[in-house]
Amino acid sequence: MLNEKEILIHLVHHSRYVDKHFELAFKRDIAEFLIKEGYFEDDIPHKFSDKANLVLNNFYEENKEDVTQVLKKVKSPFSYELICKELSLSSNDGRAEYLIKRLAEDNVIIISESTDWGDRIKILFN
C-alpha cells in the first residue's frame, strides 16, 4: 500500500520533531497499514515500535553528513524552502525539519529560539 518513502514521511510527521504545520491527515487505512506492518506498538498510532525507530534513525544516519555540509554552505538565516532545495527534499513533507532538529538534538547545531520555520531558520554550529 505505501512505499518506503511514504512510510518514512508518515513516521516523520508523527515524530516529536516536526511542527504541526506539516501534519498529514492520518487516515484510518494508513494508520491500520502502519499498525499492521509493525511501525506502532500496541495498536497505538504515535507510539513508535523498534521498527519505526530503526527507519527514522537510518534516515538520519544516512543524511546527517549531507545536511551538515549544506547548513555550513548556506548563510544563516535561511528559508526552509532554500534548505529543502539544497537537500533535494520536498518542502511539504517535513523531512528537512526532522533532520535539522535531530542535528540540534545531537548538539551539532543550535537552532535559535527566534527561528520561524515558516519564514527564517537561524542556526549556529557548536
Side-chain angles (χ1 to χ4, degrees):
M1 178 180 177
L2 297 176
N3 64 38
E4 288 180 24
K5 180 181 173 185
E6 292 168 328
I7 290 169
L8 172 65
I9 290 169
H10 281 283
L11 294 176
V12 163
H13 280 250
H14 289 88
S15 72
R16 61 186 165 92
Y17 298 95
V18 178
D19 289 335
K20 296 192 184 308
H21 66 276
F22 284 115
E23 280 189 18
L24 298 173
F26 202 48
K27 298 178 183 173
R28 171 173 274 165
D29 58 335
I30 293 172
E32 289 173 357
F33 174 81
L34 293 173
I35 290 167
K36 179 182 170 208
E37 294 297 314
Y39 291 99
F40 296 108
E41 288 188 5
D42 303 325
D43 295 342
I44 303 172
H46 306 293
K47 186 175 180 185
F48 290 144
S49 68
D50 290 341
K51 182 177 182 179
N53 286 322
L54 182 64
V55 169
L56 290 169
N57 288 334
N58 285 344
F59 173 66
Y60 174 66
E61 291 298 324
E62 291 168 2
N63 290 282
K64 69 181 180 181
E65 294 301 322
D66 290 339
V67 176
T68 301
Q69 293 306 313
V70 167
L71 292 174
K72 287 179 179 177
K73 185 176 90 171
V74 298
K75 184 179 176 186
S76 182
F78 50 85
S79 70
Y80 187 72
E81 287 76 22
L82 173 65
I83 203 67
C84 290
K85 181 180 175 185
E86 293 291 323
L87 293 170
S88 300
L89 295 173
S90 170
S91 62
N92 296 319
D93 65 21
R95 290 179 294 164
E97 181 178 346
Y98 173 83
L99 291 167
I100 292 168
K101 288 182 177 178
R102 286 284 305 264
L103 285 173
E105 183 178 72
D106 285 353
N107 295 313
V108 175
I109 61 171
I110 298 169
I111 301 171
S112 170
E113 289 184 21
S114 65
T115 288
D116 176 357
W117 289 92
D119 185 26
R120 290 283 182 209
I121 301 166
K122 299 174 187 172
I123 64 155
L124 296 170
F125 278 88
N126 276 336

